[in-house]
Each structure stands twice: as structure tokens, then as C-alpha cells.
Amino acid sequence: MENLGIGIELMIVGMLTVFCILLIVINLGKVLINVVNKIAPEEVAAPKKAAAAPAAIDATTMAILEQAVSQITGGKGHVASAKKI
């Protein structure tokens, strides 16, 4: 019975030790994050320019695309829309 008491005592001391060490690690991590953010703040990215409207595809290119799709799909496919990227 004495061994059971020692075992439970060791278990409690071990669990409390791990819990305290984890609290220390978490708090040191938070402090480190705050220090780094003060020393080297995040750079503000320049706002991106609005994307220009995609260039229209001319009739010749559209006809070639339609022909290629028709040939590849055996006449079952069709081109709904196309735009330059």
C-alpha cells in the first residue's frame, strides 16, 4: 500500500512539473512574439493596382479555338468564352 501512495505522489509531482514548464514555454513564446513585433514590425504591402480588363480575343483566334475544340471533342464541345491572361 505504501508503494501505491509513493506512485500517486510521483505522478502528481510529475504532472504539475510538466504543467508548469508548459506555462513557462507558452508565456516565453508570447513575450518573444511581442519583442519581435516591436523590433521588426510587419511591412505594409503597397496596395495592388486594379487589374486591367482582359484583352478581347479577335475573331480569327476565336475561330481557331472553336475549330480545335470541335475537332478534339468530335463536334460535341463548344467554346463558351475566351479571354487573354
Side-chain angles (χ1 to χ4, degrees), residues 15 25 61 68-69 74 76 78 84:
M15 292 176 79
V25 168
T61 306
V69 170
K76 294 180 181 177
H78 67 281
K84 281 188 179 179

Side-chain angles (χ1 to χ4, degrees), residues 7-70:
I8 290 175
E9 183 181 345
L10 281 174
M11 180 185 69
I12 292 172
V13 168
M15 292 176 79
L16 286 174
T17 303
V18 170
F19 182 74
C20 290
I21 291 173
L22 286 175
L23 285 178
I24 292 170
V25 168
I26 289 169
N27 289 324
L28 284 177
K30 287 180 181 179
V31 169
L32 179 64
I33 289 171
N34 289 334
V35 168
V36 169
N37 285 337
K38 286 182 182 177
I39 292 175
E42 186 175 332
E43 295 179 10
V44 177
K48 295 182 179 180
K49 296 179 181 177
I57 304 263
D58 61 347
T60 307
T61 306
M62 192 64 168
I64 293 170
L65 287 173
E66 288 174 354
Q67 181 92 20
V69 170
S70 177

